[in-house]
Amino acid sequence: MATPKKDTLLDWYRQMVLIRRFEERCAELYQQGLIGGFLHLYIGQEATGVGAVAALRENDHVITAYRDHGIALARGLDPKAVMAEMLGKRTGVSGGKGGSMHLADRERHFWGGYGIVGGHLPLAAGIALAAQYEEKDEVVLALMGDGATNIGYFHESLNLSAVWKLPVVWLIENNQYGMGTSVERASGAKELVRRALAYSSEDGSGMKMGPRIDGMDVLAVHDAVSEAIEHARKHGPILIESLTYRLEGHSMGDPQRYRTKEEVESFVESGPIGRFRQVLIDKYKGVESTLDKIDEEALQAVEDAVEFAQNSEDPTYEDLISHVYVD
Amino acid sequence: MADRPITIREALSAALREEMQRDERVFIMGEEVGVWGGTYAVTRGFLDEFGAKRVRDTPIAEMVIAGSAVGAAMAGLRPVAELMTINFAFLALDAIVNHMAKVRYMFNGQFTVPMVIRTTTGGGKQLGATHSHAPEVLFAHFPGMYVAVPGTAYDAKGMLKASIRDDNPVLFVEHSTMLQRRSPVPDDPDFVLPIGKSDIKREGDDVTIVTFGKGLEWSMAAAEQLEKDGIEAEIVDLRWLRPLDLEPVFESFKKTNRCVVVEESLPMFSVGAEVAAQLQNEMFDYMDAPVKRVAAMDNPLPYSREIELMALPDAQKIVAAVKEVV
């Protein structure tokens, strides 16, 4: 795998910082009562989302669960329209009707965040089927949390993808907890990627078991997902697992009784953004000032997004009743 | 072209074949649709005719059958997914209700879901409690999808073609004991019925019977008996539970001032309950008697034949209900 160019790496750094600042601001807005419903932050998992989405071509597809802000921003959705969705405005990516869990952008082949655990997995299979049916050279990246691997949808969707050789990369973002229940308390297989073996044969046909990757290392994620995408494009489905950690609660208001402060702190030190920043500093002499500038610009972009959202119109009665059906 | 008497099975088969010939994006997937030829033989010969790409056998896995059809439809195909019976659709309830019916709304119209789920319904075949439901009304509860419940071959063909051509998702419910019923159906490949229009199946001045699906057959039989007693029943076949078209019911009720609702579903929170509530709101001044409901007993269905039939509606029960109101 060729090492990406400096501009590309800096852009990944920009995306990761943007996501972090965006999420921190969302937390504040939630506490101020400006964001309602559930709010699941992507803080800690930025390297996985950015590295994975960066491996896609423009006409490839991505779909995820409800922890979707980072994926949306990585896929290039305008932070203004994403923030407007958080605030329930009609300028939001889903017109204020989806909220935090239901961001999407058809034009960018971002098929959405989905609030039902595992509910999007069969949709991913269907989107891949459409690509295969129409003989398009397109791959679907389907992200899910570790919790989704225990639900029936996971089994049915991965099995069907193996039977039909669908071009899907199934990517488990293993952030160690399904809500408050740790992986070893919820799953028979501690190494979740081993579940691929259930859909593969001794002769190598069926689902490919991909690697478990360091999900805090954006370069490692990008390499592994790039290889997985190539496999999916040529041969069919593959399951990979990214080991990551969410530094905040499952959603806002999570008392986090299931883990210690020390555990969380240990991951703060090895956090994906600090780590990548150090990689860039070691690799490119004098890059600090550029990185600082990117940091400032990210902060500003988020503030602009908040301002845009706050100045946007609320949805109307017409919005309430529109798009239930195709007219 | 002349209408020709064919069975509901043949009508469904013709509708599918014509729509697959018309549009390459239409394909069928589901339990035993291919090699087996459909558990009710609706798709017999399709695998040879259209090939494995467009006639796709699936594992027996309802969540992914429904859910992957949603994804394929969102991405531009027009899947017709088959679930062997509606009893198994309970397993796919989330895919149907939360995804098939909601993705368009939730993402503010970015996605369309032009798909059909075909399934069969109904009791009376000694299949026991889990295989004998007629719960189509349950699915009619949710906006964002349509529910088709044809009762004749003519309707089955025209409604299935309409469902496949429409850009909205449709749950298309066929009655498993009625597939051999025969009626004249146009050969015209462009014969399509409108979505959400009920239909007067029999005219009469004395009582309005509102029904659908298997209820149509029971009601027609009851009407013949009532005629001998000098009672003329008007039968409104809803054909669709969503969109629900009650205008012909209201018009009929202005004339008859009496209504009996007939359905195979369970009685509580039923189509009968909905029709009664709407009549009471819209037609109060025309009401000469309480709205009567004939439905299955509020009880699970058993295996043994005599007691199973005891729990289901029939013509005699409809006759009795009509005689209470005329």
Side-chain angles (χ1 to χ4, degrees):
Chain A
M1 189 79 32
T3 310
K5 295 196 173 84
K6 182 179 177 186
D7 283 353
T8 303
L9 297 179
L10 288 176
D11 190 51
W12 296 354
Y13 178 78
R14 181 193 63 77
Q15 290 179 33
M16 290 167 68
V17 174
L18 175 67
I19 293 168
R20 180 66 62 92
R21 296 290 95 80
F22 188 94
E23 296 294 61
E24 289 167 350
R25 197 70 174 87
C26 281
E28 289 172 19
L29 292 165
Y30 190 88
Q31 274 146 1
Q32 291 164 18
L34 292 172
I35 295 177
F38 290 144
L39 182 68
H40 309 89
L41 301 176
Y42 204 60
I43 291 177
Q45 300 179 216
E46 295 91 344
T48 296
V50 169
V53 171
L56 295 169
R57 294 179 189 165
E58 206 169 293
N59 59 356
D60 287 332
H61 307 273
V62 58
I63 188 166
T64 189
Y66 45 80
R67 200 177 300 284
D68 58 346
H69 313 171
I71 305 304
L73 294 172
R75 192 58 174 166
L77 275 67
D78 185 347
K80 290 178 177 166
V82 178
M83 188 60 88
E85 190 63 34
M86 300 297 156
L87 269 60
K89 302 293 188 164
R90 72 192 310 260
T91 53
V93 291
S94 299
K97 285 147 79 168
S100 158
M101 298 192 285
H102 306 119
L103 309 170
D105 187 340
R106 177 82 168 83
E107 295 302 306
R108 286 184 173 75
H109 292 200
F110 173 44
W111 296 84
Y114 289 83
I116 302 291
V117 171
H120 65 300
L121 302 178
L123 273 57
I127 294 162
L129 170 62
Q132 184 191 65
Y133 189 98
E134 300 197 305
E135 296 172 16
K136 292 177 178 167
D137 185 21
E138 297 170 356
V139 169
V140 179
L141 172 66
L143 299 105
M144 73 201 87
D146 45 273
T149 64
N150 299 316
I151 206 161
Y153 270 132
F154 175 86
H155 161 66
E156 293 195 12
S157 302
L158 269 70
N159 184 55
L160 189 72
S161 76
V163 173
W164 285 353
K165 300 184 173 58
L166 299 175
V168 190
V169 174
W170 304 104
L171 171 54
I172 303 165
E173 291 189 80
N174 181 353
N175 68 13
Q176 327 268 347
Y177 295 92
M179 289 194 69
T181 305
S182 61
V183 168
E184 59 269 26
R185 292 176 60 220
S187 171
K190 284 197 276 288
E191 301 84 15
L192 297 174
V193 75
R194 283 169 50 81
R195 287 171 182 260
L197 296 173
Y199 315 107
S200 62
S201 305
E202 278 188 350
D203 64 10
S205 63
M207 176 84 55
K208 181 176 165 71
M209 185 174 86
R212 299 183 92 203
I213 51 183
D214 178 357
M216 306 304 246
D217 177 352
V218 67
L219 296 164
V221 172
H222 181 260
D223 276 1
V225 176
S226 296
E227 280 179 28
I229 286 171
E230 283 322 299
H231 176 87
R233 223 183 274 292
K234 292 195 184 90
H235 309 293
I238 174 169
L239 178 66
I240 56 179
E241 179 180 0
S242 177
L243 297 168
T244 180
Y245 196 78
R246 70 170 149 70
L247 294 170
E248 299 294 327
H250 165 75
S251 58
M252 296 299 289
D254 171 2
Q256 301 188 54
R257 291 193 191 95
Y258 49 86
R259 62 185 185 182
T260 61
K261 278 206 173 70
E262 291 71 28
E263 178 184 308
V264 178
E265 285 304 316
S266 74
F267 282 96
V268 171
E269 285 159 29
S270 63
I273 297 176
R275 247 175 90 175
F276 189 41
R277 189 183 168 96
Q278 195 56 51
V279 167
L280 293 171
I281 289 170
D282 294 344
K283 191 173 168 73
Y284 303 112
K285 288 262 176 298
V287 80
E288 285 96 329
S289 61
T290 307
L291 299 177
D292 291 345
K293 185 155 170 284
I294 289 172
D295 292 349
E296 281 167 31
E297 283 169 358
L299 205 55
Q300 189 58 47
V302 171
E303 284 318 305
D304 291 348
V306 173
E307 193 186 332
F308 171 82
Q310 286 183 319
N311 291 331
S312 288
E313 284 175 32
D314 289 324
T316 63
Y317 177 77
E318 290 306 310
D319 296 312
L320 167 68
I321 62 169
S322 67
H323 302 307
V324 178
Y325 292 96
V326 179
D327 298 329
Chain B
M1 274 173 270
D3 292 4
R4 187 167 66 87
I6 59 173
T7 63
I8 290 180
R9 185 197 319 277
E10 289 163 341
L12 294 165
S13 195
L16 280 171
R17 179 176 286 109
E18 288 170 14
E19 293 310 299
M20 288 180 74
Q21 286 167 346
R22 189 184 58 82
D23 187 343
E24 281 285 320
R25 296 169 302 171
V26 177
F27 71 99
I28 56 178
M29 58 180 280
E31 292 158 340
E32 309 298 353
V33 296
V35 175
W36 191 300
T39 43
Y40 292 95
V42 170
T43 54
R44 187 171 293 163
F46 275 52
L47 183 59
D48 288 340
E49 187 174 347
F50 295 102
K53 177 180 162 185
R54 298 182 69 198
V55 181
R56 309 182 74 96
D57 281 320
T58 63
I60 301 169
E62 287 79 10
M63 296 168 83
V64 77
I65 293 171
S68 65
V70 174
M74 289 167 73
L77 302 183
R78 305 184 78 87
V80 180
E82 181 168 337
L83 301 177
M84 209 181 305
T85 85
I86 199 166
N87 307 286
F88 313 155
F90 295 150
L91 286 154
L93 203 55
D94 173 69
I96 294 170
V97 171
N98 275 327
H99 297 95
M100 182 175 91
K102 296 295 188 296
V103 290
R104 178 170 181 77
Y105 184 79
M106 201 156 66
F107 299 113
N108 204 29
Q110 293 189 69
F111 305 115
T112 53
V113 189
M115 64 177 281
V116 179
I117 294 179
R118 284 183 52 235
T119 191
T120 58
T121 191
K125 293 171 298 178
Q126 291 194 267
L127 295 174
T130 63
H131 275 56
S132 304
H133 295 284
E136 39 278 10
V137 63
L138 188 69
F139 297 87
H141 193 60
F142 302 102
M145 58 185 281
Y146 296 147
V147 179
V149 283
T152 68
Y154 178 92
D155 290 342
K157 185 176 182 195
M159 289 166 64
L160 183 54
K161 287 168 69 76
S163 300
I164 294 170
R165 292 187 187 192
D166 197 84
D167 281 338
N168 291 294
V170 180
L171 182 73
F172 196 92
V173 186
E174 303 152 13
H175 202 287
S176 61
T177 67
M178 294 174 74
L179 291 163
Q180 289 298 86
R181 303 295 184 271
R182 206 174 278 273
S183 62
V185 177
D187 279 333
D188 178 3
D190 279 320
F191 161 64
V192 177
L193 288 168
I195 283 179
K197 289 285 174 210
S198 44
D199 184 46
I200 310 280
K201 287 292 198 294
R202 186 185 194 280
E203 293 187 5
D205 292 337
D206 299 322
V207 62
T208 304
I209 297 177
V210 180
T211 190
F212 62 92
K214 180 82 168 181
L216 178 62
E217 195 166 286
W218 292 322
S219 298
M220 293 297 271
E224 278 182 32
Q225 293 184 36
L226 289 163
E227 191 177 355
K228 290 175 192 153
D229 296 331
I231 299 166
E232 290 297 338
E234 181 144 299
I235 298 177
V236 183
D237 179 4
L238 294 173
R239 299 198 292 191
W240 302 83
L241 299 185
R242 189 182 270 273
L244 182 63
D245 173 25
L246 291 184
E247 278 311 313
V249 175
F250 297 155
E251 285 309 308
S252 176
F253 195 73
K254 284 180 187 167
K255 175 172 70 175
T256 63
N257 315 108
R258 292 160 179 84
C259 181
V260 174
V261 186
V262 177
E263 63 192 306
E264 191 182 337
S265 313
L266 294 165
M268 293 185 63
F269 318 104
S270 60
V271 173
E274 181 65 31
V275 172
Q278 292 208 31
L279 276 174
Q280 179 271 124
N281 270 283
E282 304 292 327
M283 295 282 125
F284 192 66
D285 292 342
Y286 293 93
M287 209 168 258
D288 283 352
V291 176
K292 287 284 170 187
R293 298 190 281 162
V294 177
M297 254 175 81
D298 189 20
N299 197 75
L301 283 185
Y303 161 70
S304 189
R305 180 155 183 81
E306 286 307 311
I307 58 172
E308 183 185 25
L309 294 178
M310 216 179 270
L312 289 170
D314 59 28
Q316 289 315 316
K317 289 176 185 172
I318 299 166
V319 168
V322 168
K323 288 189 172 171
E324 283 185 53
V325 294
V326 292

